[in-house]
Amino acid sequence: MPLKTSLRDLVEGAESLVYVEDLSNKKGLLQSINPLVKLAITLFMISASLFVPSLSYLALMCVIPIVLSLASKIPLRALLTRTALIPFFAAVISLPILFITSGAPALNANFGLFNLTVTIEGIQRFLIFTVRVWFCVASLTLLILSMGFTAFLKMLASIRVPSIVIQLFSLTYRYLFVSIHEIQKVLIAKEARTYINRHTINLESLRHSGALLATIFIRTYERSERVYMAMKSRGFDVNNTNKSSIPPLRKKDLLFVASTTVIFGLLVVL
Amino acid sequence: MHIPDGFLSPQIIIITFAITIIFWIIAFKRVKGRLDERQVPLMGLLTALFFAAQMMNYPIVGGTTAHLLGGAALGIILGPFAGCISMTIILVLQAFLFGDGGLTALGANVLNMGIIGVFVPAFIVLAFNKITKGKGLLVWVFIGAFAGDVLAAIAAGAELGFSQPVFQYGLNVAVPAMAINHSVIGVIEGVVTAVLVGVLLKLRPDVLSKSSVLKSLPAVKAAQENTE
Amino acid sequence: MDDAIVKVKEVQFSYPGGVNALRGVSFEIRRGEKVALLGPNGSGKSTLILLMAGLLTPKKGEITVFDEKTTSKNFQKLRQRLGIVFQDPDDQLFTQSVIEDIEYGPRNLKIPEPEVKERSAHILSKIGIQHLENRPPHRLSFGEKKKVSLATALVLKPELLILDEPTANLDLVSRRSLIDTLNELNCEGTTVVVSTHDVEALPELADRVIVVSHGSLLGEGATSDVLQDSKLLDVAGLEPTSIVKLFLKLKTMGLIQDVPITVKDGEKKLLELMKTKTERTT
Ligand SMILES: Nc1ncnc2c1ncn2[C@@H]1O[C@H](COP(=O)(O)OP(=O)(O)OP(=O)(O)O)[C@@H](O)[C@H]1O
Ligand SMILES: [Mg+2]
């Protein structure tokens, strides 16, 4: 486990969480919508896209996340960078589709023995898949970027998740930062005392990782006991915590639902 | 192994959610009574810890990276039902905080990593613990974790394969691809989980006393009596 | 009403893993007092504090705080009358921003939102940390974290404030302002208990000192008495302050009767001494 990448992963993860919190505090369209409504709309958009077989419709639908992000003061760059990876991965795994789909040839390349033919149908299938994946990922990313953790807990309460489970979510989130810091400390302390940089993975390095994880485990376990005491000393009580209140539905939410459905309806009819 | 949105067909989405919801209800019923003042924060911590550990990527062959799934460790340390809830929390947070794994694919992802990936290792360890009376425990932890990962990957491959035409490839491609890819991760998961359990048994057997899988081990029993 | 708000009776405690942290300790703390727990590293001070806060349970003996046993079910209700500042601020601060951490306690106690805001604003300015309000606690310097920790306890307006090594690792200015804050609170009626191995800060931190070492009570008494008792301090693995050492020497030389413990008193004493000397020679 090379230190640099592990530390970078952790730091990036923690920073992304803080960034999301910041964005979700902005006063934009999506931020002001009831979290349950947002979830429902996102699910609706994603599911609807699964039934759309035509490339042009899918491409048209992609305008929706972009408009929504502009209306919600979410920087387009944030949306685009966060939605690059998975569609790229989808594109890579579906590359062979270009060649194995039978149909009218669009491109032909001859490498002596090999004869590779890209078909129009192949391009179609390839694009439908990647564009749809982008649309889905973008819809989910918008939900994430416009919903802070408190709103997330409220959403869980709205769908009647038991309050003890909500408590677990909130504790996990709190301890996540404790864990990240503890792991960082152990990794840095370890790095300070090792001088070889192993980049290959073998049994020895895996054993090392396991032992390191155990150290981190015990340290975090002990820290969590002290953090728990600190929480308790300031009034924390599992059975008596602020229940996340269920946010009421307002006119604005209904308007949002109505307009999204109308836009979708129009797309399908057109 | 986190399946994103747009990969699964509506039928598979519905089936996987149905199975997962049944497991959620059973697991919650089993765990609810034990979730007391001290247990809730502990579970929150372990969940967070494995969440954080999952954020670190290991380099594997050919410049690709992989991370632990953690289901085996959670299932063995917390017991399968609590482990399933814990893994569910991780997967839900990964989807809702990082976009790692899709919303419509949540049912499938929980089924693969939070149910198969948790129950398989826990039951393998539990069963052989009974048969071999705790001998060679770590070998069984390794096998359990490995099997959990590979079976989870096979399940994911099957879900993808059955999702044509939304997904491009059929079972004959998706299943072997997932299984081969994740057997490497399975080995990593197996070794790391076995070492983790081994070190904990040696240094802090008391933290394992809540695990329905390991609590019958003599070392864990002794530690439990010591603290009381 | 009984004046003792904390009663520690024959308390023993050991950690899992068999470390015997306390081996039968008894003492009392009265309302309005300013008390220090003095002892070297590993003597059991932090353990005692956690026990007094009801966060650990004694293996033997019992502790009562505000006439309620720390093991009783009702103790949770007393929590708001008791403020704790942990030794390690990283344990105390666990949320994502300073302000959130400060408001965590009041929110748990279901104090109405406007009052929470009012209290936190007041405490931020009192401790002088307004500029840190929105920073994540883990990115602060150690001294800043210590201040925020103090704020998280003070915002609950506790009657009894317990601080674990509050002066450790603080620079002189921060230490000064911390001591001033504590003394101000004490004058307003808050009972203040601090643990420390910092003998230099003792005269200003406490009126009474309880000395612990290796999990046992070695002695207790007024700060000036304890500071002069080099034998007691020696057994505890501590040393008198340089100023006390100097005047103890003068005392053994027969030049003075009582030993001052602060620089200010020392200065007075020296001037007096010099005056009588010059008077005698003339
Ligand atoms: N969580 C723990 N588990 C096991 N042993 C512990 C734990 N915390 C403290 N101890 C042990 O208990 C004894 C008393 O520790 P304690 O922290 O109370 O000392 P202290 O007086 O606060 O020391 P310091 O001045 O260094 O803070 C020490 O021997 C220590 O090693
Ligand atoms: Mg201490």
Side-chain angles (χ1 to χ4, degrees), chain C residues 122-178:
Chain C
H122 176 239
I123 211 75
L124 281 170
S125 73
K126 179 168 182 156
I127 315 264
I129 47 173
Q130 297 102 315
H131 57 294
L132 303 178
E133 185 176 340
N134 293 312
R135 297 266 302 275
H138 61 270
R139 297 244 184 86
L140 302 178
S141 82
F142 185 85
E144 289 168 335
K145 284 187 209 169
K146 275 268 192 196
K147 287 184 193 169
V148 178
S149 300
L150 179 66
T152 64
L154 290 188
V155 73
L156 294 169
K157 301 190 175 164
E159 290 164 51
L160 169 62
L161 181 63
I162 308 180
L163 307 100
D164 200 350
E165 309 216 2
T167 58
N169 280 319
L170 290 188
D171 66 28
L172 287 176
V173 180
S174 312
R175 185 159 122 166
R176 180 78 261 141
S177 82
L178 172 84

Side-chain angles (χ1 to χ4, degrees), chain B residues 75-97:
Chain B
I76 292 169
I77 294 173
L78 286 174
F81 293 102
C84 169
I85 291 195
S86 189
M87 213 45 209
T88 298
I89 291 175
I90 294 181
L91 291 165
V92 170
L93 286 178
Q94 279 171 335
F96 278 92
L97 297 177

Side-chain angles (χ1 to χ4, degrees), chain A residues 85-105:
Chain A
L85 194 67
I86 294 175
F88 175 74
F89 168 75
V92 170
I93 63 164
S94 56
L95 265 183
I97 293 297
L98 291 172
F99 310 104
I100 60 172
T101 314
S102 50

Side-chain angles (χ1 to χ4, degrees), chain B residues 9 40 85 104 110 131 135 154 160 163 184 202 217:
Chain B
S9 69
V40 172
I85 291 195
T104 54
V110 173
I131 297 168
K135 276 207 191 70
I154 289 175
L160 289 169
S163 285
V184 181
K202 206 153 73 188
L217 290 177

